[in-house]
C-alpha cells in the first residue's frame, strides 16, 4: 500500500471525480420500500436515498437523487453500488464501518465479509479534511435512517 501513495491518491481522486460527474443509480425508485433524506447544512449537500428491500430482508436495488459537493455525490453513488445484494443487517453494518473509518483514526474493520468496500477507500482522503467528513458520511447516515425507519430526515448534525 505504501509503495506509491501519491499514485494511489491520484487514483482515488479520479474515482471520486468520476462518480461525482457520472453518479451511478442517480434515479428515484418509484417502488422504494425504504427511503430517507440526508442533509448536511454545513456544505449545502442534500440527497434522498431510495432502497428496495425484498421479503427476505435483502436489499435488491438502491438509488438516490440530490445535489451537493463532489464528495457527497460520489459517496452516495458508491453507496448505491455497494448495498445491493446485501441483507439489511449487512447494509447497516456498512454504515458503521464507513462512519468508523472516516471519523476514527484507527479502523477495526466491522464490514461484513459479503460487502466489497474496497472502492470506499477513495473516501479516506477526507480524514485529513475534517470539514468534509460530513459530506462523505451523509449518504450513509441516510442509509442508516432508511433501514431503521427513522423519521424521514437524517442530518449530519
Ligand atoms: Zn459537501
Amino acid at each position: 500500500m505504501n509503495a506509491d501513495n501519491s499514485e494511489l491518491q491520484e487514483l482515488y481522486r479520479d474515482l471520486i471525480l468520476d462518480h461525482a460527474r457520472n453518479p451511478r443509480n442517480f434515479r428515484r425508485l418509484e417502488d422504494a420500500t425504504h427511503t430517507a433524506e440526508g442533509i448536511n447544512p454545513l456544505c449545502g449537500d442534500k440527497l434522498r436515498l431510495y432502497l428496495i428491500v425484498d421479503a427476505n430482508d435483502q436489499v435488491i436495488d438502491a438509488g438516490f437523487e440530490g445535489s451537493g459537493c463532489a464528495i457527497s455525490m460520489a459517496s452516495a453513488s458508491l453507496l448505491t453500488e455497494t448495498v445491493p445484494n446485501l441483507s439489511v443487517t449487512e447494509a447497516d453494518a456498512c454504515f458503521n464501518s464507513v462512519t468508523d473509518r472516516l471519523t476514527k483514526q484507527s479502523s477495526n474493520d466491522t464490514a461484513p465479509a459479503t460487502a466489497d468496500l474496497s472502492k470506499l477507500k477513495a473516501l479516506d482522503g477526507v480524514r485529513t479534511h475534517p470539514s468534509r467528513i460530513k459530506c462523505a458520511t451523509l449518504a450513509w447516515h441516510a442509509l442508516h435512517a432508511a433501514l431503521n425507519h427513522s423519521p424521514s430526515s437524517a442530518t449530519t448534525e
Side-chain angles (χ1 to χ4, degrees):
M1 275 305 268
N2 48 18
D4 193 344
N5 257 320
S6 61
E7 189 181 353
L8 276 176
Q9 279 177 4
E10 196 92 332
L11 258 171
Y12 288 147
R13 198 188 59 198
D14 287 350
L15 185 71
I16 296 272
L17 288 176
D18 176 39
H19 275 265
R21 284 182 190 140
N22 308 294
R24 317 301 195 270
N25 307 299
F26 192 84
R27 65 193 196 279
R28 178 195 186 92
L29 301 180
E30 293 299 340
D31 42 358
T33 56
H34 296 61
T35 178
E37 190 175 43
I39 297 169
N40 176 18
L42 282 181
C43 180
D45 310 318
K46 192 174 175 190
L47 58 87
R48 177 165 284 279
L49 184 70
Y50 304 95
L51 300 170
I52 298 178
V53 176
D54 71 9
N56 300 316
D57 274 349
Q58 202 84 11
V59 179
I60 53 174
D61 204 0
F64 78 105
E65 289 179 321
S67 61
C69 67
I71 291 172
S72 67
M73 294 295 106
S75 182
S77 174
L78 287 162
L79 182 155
T80 61
E81 285 199 323
T82 303
V83 296
N85 302 316
L86 297 180
S87 71
V88 164
T89 310
E90 288 166 338
D92 211 22
C94 292
F95 157 76
N96 287 315
S97 178
V98 170
T99 52
D100 278 1
R101 256 187 100 85
L102 298 179
T103 58
K104 294 170 189 166
Q105 286 305 317
S106 68
S107 62
N108 35 14
D109 214 344
T110 52
T114 45
D116 178 11
L117 300 183
S118 56
K119 281 185 181 173
L120 299 171
K121 288 195 178 86
L123 299 171
D124 284 0
V126 302
R127 281 172 171 174
T128 50
H129 302 277
S131 63
R132 310 313 298 273
I133 289 173
K134 288 177 175 176
C135 303
T137 56
L138 179 63
W140 301 86
H141 280 282
L143 171 71
H144 184 62
L147 292 175
N148 292 279
H149 291 289
S150 298
S152 65
S153 189
T155 163
T156 52
E157 292 308 297

